[in-house]
Amino acid sequence: MHSIDIAMALTFVVIASTVVLYALERYSIEAVALGSVSAFIVIFSIFPVTIADGQAVTTADFLAGFANPALITVICLLIIGQGLFQTDALEGPAKSIVKMTRGRSQRATIPILIAVAVLSAFLNNTPVVVMFLPILTAVAATVGQAPARVLMPLSFIAILGGMTTLIGSSTNLLVANYAAQSSDLKLSFFSFTPIGLIIASVGAVYVFFVMPHLMKNRKTMAEEFQATSGKQFIAQIEITYGHPLVGVEAVSGMFPKLKDMTVRLVQRGQKPILPPFENVVLSPGDTVIVAATRTALANALARRQPLMEAESDANTPGRENQAAQPGSLSLAEVVVAPASRLMGRTLPQSGFYTETGCLVMGIQRRSRMPRMAMNDIRLEAGDVLLVAGSEDEIARLRGNRDVLLLDWSTTEVPRKRYAPRALAIFACVVALAASGLVPIVSAAVAGTFAMIASGCLNIRQAMRAIDSRIFMLVGASLAGAVALEATGGATAIASALVYMLKGASPPVILSALFFIVMILTNFLSNNAAAVLFTPIAINLATQIGQKPEAFVVCLIIAANTSFATPVGYQTNLIVMGPGHYRFIDFMRAGAPLALILWLTFSIVAPWYYGL
């Protein structure tokens, strides 16, 4: 046996083992991916393989995937999406969508996904998914739904829409151009739109009505804790000159601008005003005591005109620049420890702010909700304090013996005042990528720099957006593609298909071609699968005396059925991080969709093309 045959066999073993280990999830995706790359390097070092131009496959060829433009594009788009998240730039549009659909999540997401499918037929799928990912995430958050419920359907619907026109996917153009060069087949813009719409419509029904039942909520530990936290904090809002609440009048006993909070008391000098609040107009000098959730207090801090200040005294040393750094503020929860020096003291008496630099924004007491000013409440062991400060100040609370920091509770206050510039950057990136004026990787890299340079993100937040699973998955899958092509493994699969189908009827050949390409496109890139099988598809049609159009269209649609793995298509990778998906999630939800499309095509195509 020649060394190239041994290398091919070992390549198949490594790829099969990698897929199985991904699916079992016994080991981390990063470890499995790194192991597969290491295996390829060792195999090709022991059994050297040369490619067509006579050059040997080297370690550099297997590592080149980690600098692939597609990978850089995905990472940059994730960072840009993080910039939209940090600024809450899409909160307004999301609330509008939810309001129009009366808060029903199913009604809110289906029209958006239909719009995605239509746009994907005429634009590159990647910028369409990038455009709608933060919108769907915001809509899901607004209706209390996990992102995992909507983001994988977003990717799948974009892929389905892309298989209906000639420009819907780069794969479609690639196959059409190759077919035009090697045969008389000239596909026009809408040549395969009718059969593409039939296939995509069947897939859309599955995505809308079946797939939601197969999806699992995937949340980080912090989100799991926070999602169950509807507890109320006592907080106070100091009304100063120029404050947004000056002149606000109570309507039907409530203050419209504080609809997310319960006003428990308005302290006017020495006079407490208790509810119901009739004809009360807020004025400078008033202190409004409210009961509110952590989310409501964070929104009050994040507004462009904040209802609450995150500093107790503008002249306090070390705090003068707090207002100039609106995005550097974090919120966390701490518990007053037993035997703490804070017990029995009010906040002004405790010196907590002076000692820690963190300002207490609210107090939560499980036993009762006191009706008094927050600064008049004497602290007890077990009280939960909502504190605001910089990341370093919050981190230093871990060493404080008077309070216990709940690490999972630390989150940053959104930079809402930067929302317009984040939206502008995002719009420019999508417009440039969709227009084709510049490569999408160039637009994504420039957009990432603009997000950081404009202050929408800092470097730490940008780095946090990079998902190590995506980085390793893409690099390892591209290394596998190099090994398959160098050893002739991909060509061997195609040749075996031609041999096995000799003498079969045209519908059977067409169905088998679809099935083989459908499997390979989930492990190779769809473009690689398309390039490999285009000459085979045309050759098959010629051998059995059929026109090549049915076989070329079969290849186009099959190469787009990249649903069963996250490495199957770029949009799957884009949604993997924000949706907190695992490899098995794509197999669970995507493999049935791929099989449904295969069966649909096997039934419809022979009728449509008269085979």
Side-chain angles (χ1 to χ4, degrees):
M1 184 180 288
H2 300 295
S3 63
I4 189 167
D5 298 326
I6 297 174
M8 184 193 301
L10 292 175
T11 294
F12 285 132
V13 170
V14 171
I15 291 175
S17 302
T18 301
V19 173
V20 170
L21 289 173
Y22 281 153
L24 291 178
E25 295 185 339
R26 179 170 294 182
Y27 306 101
S28 68
I29 284 179
E30 295 90 337
V32 174
L34 183 59
S36 68
V37 175
S38 302
F40 287 131
I41 292 173
V42 171
I43 290 169
F44 281 72
S45 297
I46 298 174
F47 305 103
V49 175
T50 57
I51 50 181
D53 58 4
Q55 292 185 344
V57 180
T58 65
T59 299
D61 295 317
F62 293 113
L63 299 179
F66 293 100
N68 187 276
L71 176 57
I72 302 301
T73 300
V74 170
I75 289 175
C76 289
L77 292 176
L78 288 174
I79 294 174
I80 292 171
Q82 182 74 4
L84 293 172
F85 172 77
Q86 288 293 144
T87 57
D88 258 0
L90 294 167
E91 180 188 31
K95 286 185 175 179
S96 300
I97 292 171
V98 172
K99 186 176 180 181
M100 287 188 293
T101 55
R102 297 179 181 178
R104 297 187 181 180
S105 58
Q106 191 75 354
R107 289 187 180 182
T109 56
I110 288 181
I112 297 174
L113 292 176
I114 292 174
V116 168
V118 173
L119 286 174
S120 294
F122 302 96
L123 299 174
N124 185 290
N125 295 345
T126 302
V128 173
V129 170
V130 171
M131 184 190 311
F132 282 91
L133 186 149
I135 294 175
L136 268 177
T137 302
V139 169
T142 303
V143 297
Q145 196 174 40
R149 294 282 184 181
V150 296
L151 296 188
M152 194 183 296
L154 169 64
S155 176
F156 288 3
I157 281 292
I159 296 172
L160 290 171
M163 64 174 62
T164 58
T165 67
L166 186 64
I167 65 169
S169 167
S170 59
T171 306
N172 304 358
L173 280 171
L174 196 63
V175 173
N177 289 338
Y178 192 97
Q181 293 170 8
S182 56
S183 70
D184 295 330
L185 177 62
K186 308 290 183 184
L187 293 177
S188 65
F189 193 94
F190 295 110
S191 286
F192 52 90
T193 297
I195 188 171
L197 281 175
I198 294 172
I199 305 298
S201 298
V202 172
V205 170
Y206 168 86
V207 171
F208 291 150
F209 302 109
V210 179
M211 193 170 159
H213 300 289
L214 301 177
M215 302 300 300
K216 289 186 176 181
N217 289 343
R218 296 293 190 191
K219 297 183 179 182
T220 62
M221 185 175 293
E223 289 171 331
E224 293 286 358
F225 276 110
Q226 291 169 16
T228 60
S229 176
K231 59 190 177 187
Q232 301 254 321
F233 291 88
I234 288 292
Q236 63 186 40
I237 302 174
E238 306 284 351
I239 309 297
T240 57
Y241 288 97
H243 193 279
L245 295 181
V246 170
V248 171
E249 183 177 0
V251 178
S252 301
M254 302 176 65
F255 295 96
K257 288 194 175 182
L258 296 173
K259 60 182 179 180
D260 295 332
M261 304 178 180
T262 302
V263 180
R264 298 179 60 82
L265 172 71
V266 175
Q267 187 73 38
R268 182 165 291 170
Q270 299 298 317
K271 177 186 176 184
I273 303 174
L274 299 174
F277 304 103
E278 298 294 341
N279 302 318
V280 176
V281 179
L282 298 179
S283 58
D286 289 349
T287 299
V288 182
I289 312 303
V290 298
T293 63
R294 173 185 173 142
T295 301
L297 294 176
N299 289 336
L301 276 174
R303 290 175 47 152
R304 295 182 190 178
Q305 288 185 306
L307 296 182
M308 305 175 71
E309 293 296 332
E311 51 182 353
S312 61
D313 186 351
N315 297 318
T316 303
R319 300 291 290 186
E320 297 84 350
N321 296 325
Q322 181 66 43
Q325 302 172 1
S328 61
L329 202 62
S330 294
L331 288 179
E333 295 176 26
V334 298
V335 179
V336 178
S340 168
R341 292 176 298 173
L342 303 179
M343 292 173 55
R345 298 182 179 182
T346 63
L347 287 173
Q349 294 171 346
S350 69
F352 183 80
Y353 174 77
T354 304
E355 181 181 345
T356 65
C358 297
L359 186 70
V360 177
M361 308 302 299
I363 300 175
Q364 191 264 336
R365 181 166 290 170
R366 298 185 185 278
S367 59
R368 61 191 181 281
M369 188 71 74
R371 192 184 296 274
M372 63 178 70
M374 186 179 74
N375 285 345
D376 293 337
I377 298 174
R378 294 191 177 274
L379 299 177
E380 299 176 0
D383 285 350
V384 180
L385 310 181
L386 181 66
V387 299
S390 69
E391 185 187 25
D392 291 339
E393 289 167 341
I394 297 292
R396 283 197 293 270
L397 291 177
R398 294 189 183 96
N400 192 303
R401 296 185 179 181
D402 294 318
V403 294
L404 304 174
L405 174 65
L406 305 178
D407 274 307
W408 55 262
S409 69
T410 304
T411 56
E412 289 175 307
V413 176
R415 305 182 176 197
K416 288 191 176 182
R417 67 188 67 190
Y418 290 147
R421 65 183 73 174
L423 280 173
I425 293 168
F426 174 66
C428 288
V429 169
V430 172
L432 288 172
S435 67
L437 293 176
V438 297
I440 187 171
V441 62
S442 303
V445 171
T448 299
F449 172 75
M451 281 287 185
I452 295 171
S454 64
C456 299
L457 281 173
N458 57 39
I459 294 295
R460 178 179 49 78
Q461 292 163 341
M463 293 302 294
R464 196 169 58 206
I466 299 174
D467 193 324
S468 60
R469 298 176 305 161
I470 292 176
F471 182 78
M472 294 303 299
L473 266 174
V474 175
S477 66
L478 292 174
V482 168
L484 271 179
E485 293 176 14
T487 59
T491 305
I493 294 172
S495 302
L497 172 65
V498 174
Y499 178 79
M500 288 188 300
L501 296 179
K502 189 176 294 184
S505 65
V508 172
I509 293 175
L510 202 63
S511 178
L513 176 65
F514 191 106
F515 187 80
I516 296 296
V517 175
M518 175 188 76
I519 292 175
L520 284 182
T521 194
N522 282 284
F523 300 102
L524 295 173
S525 71
N526 51 354
N527 284 343
V531 169
L532 176 66
F533 275 87
T534 301
I536 295 171
I538 295 173
N539 184 48
L540 277 173
T542 303
Q543 286 182 12
I544 62 176
Q546 296 289 332
K547 292 181 180 180
E549 181 176 356
F551 290 81
V552 172
V553 171
C554 169
L555 180 57
I556 288 174
I557 296 177
N560 279 295
T561 54
S562 316
F563 306 111
T565 65
V567 297
Y569 197 67
Q570 197 173 56
T571 56
N572 290 351
L573 290 169
I574 291 174
V575 303
M576 186 177 181
H580 306 297
Y581 296 120
R582 300 175 184 171
F583 193 94
I584 193 67
D585 292 325
F586 285 91
M587 296 190 71
R588 180 189 299 111
L593 175 57
L595 291 173
I596 288 170
L597 297 188
W598 168 56
L599 291 173
T600 304
F601 183 86
S602 299
I603 295 169
V604 172
W607 162 78
Y608 184 81
Y609 289 106
L611 299 179

